[in-house]
Amino acid sequence: MRQAINIVFSVGWIAFWIGWMAAASRVKRGASQWRGYVGFRLLVAALIVAGSHVHAFRGSAPHDATMDVLGLALFVVGIAIAVWARVHLGRNWGTPMSQKEDPELVTSGPYRWVRNPIYSGLILAFAGTGLAVDLRWLIPMAPIGAYFVYSAVKEQRYMEEQFPNTYPAYRASTRMLIPFIY
């Protein structure tokens, strides 16, 4: 059972990131690109490598089937939210803090509940990985979560400039990362 869980997470993360990067070729041209784009790609590459070696993060702490199932459920739901949000954005998607030519304010789909569902989904998927594989997977959640909050705040400023008539109402009606809470 343990081997199967590790394989599911390894294959899941690798497939997700390969698909994510492949989809990046079908987006609108950027008006300006975030300067840390190389850093973002390095982060993704590191996560692919880490995902391919999930078993290496497996500690000796005992796990029970409940943790495995809960972790897998959080992982699947988190990835599903991130992919749904990415698909819903369509060609408007870009690396964190990128600016697109002819941007559109997307407020439907998962964006009805949170302004940054991709970030929310990825945080949930990391939490699920930590619960099922090894709690040490939760360690990178702190800097990744901080990075996502930082990106969301920067993107919010950009959106306020781009959509001064519509974004303030959208911001007031939705939360940044967690529906009804934050």
Side-chain angles (χ1 to χ4, degrees):
M1 175 75 167
R2 174 62 33 218
Q3 180 102 11
I5 291 290
N6 289 339
I7 290 170
V8 166
F9 279 96
S10 292
V11 170
W13 276 115
I14 291 169
F16 171 77
W17 287 115
I18 289 172
W20 200 260
M21 296 308 286
S25 66
R26 296 184 297 269
V27 298
K28 288 181 182 177
R29 220 171 83 113
S32 73
Q33 191 72 6
W34 173 53
R35 294 176 194 216
Y37 184 64
V38 171
F40 178 74
R41 283 188 164 195
L42 289 175
L43 171 68
V44 170
L47 291 172
I48 289 171
V49 170
S52 68
H53 294 89
V54 164
H55 64 278
F57 289 92
R58 170 47 85 192
S60 59
H63 270 263
D64 62 13
T66 303
M67 291 283 280
D68 292 343
V69 170
L70 178 60
L72 186 58
L74 290 176
F75 173 76
V76 169
V77 169
I79 294 295
I81 289 169
V83 169
W84 179 32
R86 166 64 182 87
V87 168
H88 202 74
L89 271 181
R91 296 189 64 229
N92 289 297
W93 177 83
T95 58
M97 297 177 278
S98 63
Q99 299 172 5
K100 297 293 177 187
E101 290 180 355
D102 301 320
E104 298 170 41
L105 179 60
V106 177
T107 61
S108 56
Y111 294 89
R112 283 181 287 206
W113 296 288
V114 290
R115 296 188 305 272
N116 301 282
I118 292 173
Y119 299 159
S120 302
L122 291 177
I123 290 170
L124 197 59
F126 270 104
T129 303
L131 287 177
V133 175
D134 189 322
L135 294 178
R136 288 179 285 188
W137 267 88
L138 299 178
I139 294 170
M141 279 186 59
I144 289 170
Y147 170 76
F148 286 158
V149 170
Y150 171 76
S151 296
V153 169
K154 294 284 281 189
E155 290 168 1
Q156 181 174 285
R157 288 186 200 133
Y158 170 72
M159 298 299 275
E160 287 170 346
E161 292 172 9
Q162 291 298 305
F163 306 101
N165 298 326
T166 54
Y167 190 79
Y170 172 63
R171 180 180 173 197
S173 67
T174 57
R175 299 297 182 187
M176 184 181 287
L177 292 168
I178 305 168
F180 313 111
I181 298 173
Y182 179 74

